[in-house]
Amino acid sequence: MKLEDTKLTAEVTTTRELNKYLGAGWVLILSYVKHLSDSQQSRFIVAWQNEQEAVFPELLDEWELHEIERQMNL
């Protein structure tokens, strides 16, 4: 599809989130690295280009992911 067909965009920060969006029908249109002090963070811009209403994947927030990881390490 063409970039002009984009109805909505979203920014995601992890490959896990990216894969969820791609699995829901979004397409990757841009990736870049955000530089913060001494660190780097990947960023991905995805686009909804379908005629139907956008489908947002269910994602856990940072706190929920931390709690899951903490429980697994007990």
Side-chain angles (χ1 to χ4, degrees):
M1 290 198 158
K2 299 182 207 172
L3 192 57
E4 294 84 13
D5 294 334
T6 299
K7 313 284 188 277
L8 188 64
T9 60
E11 181 180 56
V12 296
T13 59
T14 67
T15 54
R16 183 186 67 79
E17 290 175 336
L18 174 61
N19 287 331
K20 292 245 184 195
Y21 272 89
L22 295 176
W26 294 70
V27 294
L28 178 66
I29 59 170
L30 177 69
S31 64
Y32 66 95
V33 176
K34 183 175 182 179
H35 298 275
L36 298 170
S37 300
D38 293 336
S39 67
Q40 299 178 2
Q41 296 177 343
S42 298
R43 297 283 195 254
F44 307 98
I45 307 299
V46 293
W48 183 257
Q49 297 183 331
N50 295 319
E51 291 299 320
Q52 304 88 352
E53 189 172 327
V55 176
F56 291 91
E58 186 173 328
L59 301 172
L60 300 176
D61 66 24
E62 202 171 319
W63 180 85
E64 291 168 317
L65 290 172
H66 177 72
E67 283 300 304
I68 290 170
E69 184 178 315
R70 186 179 68 79
Q71 292 293 324
M72 291 176 65
N73 292 326
L74 288 180

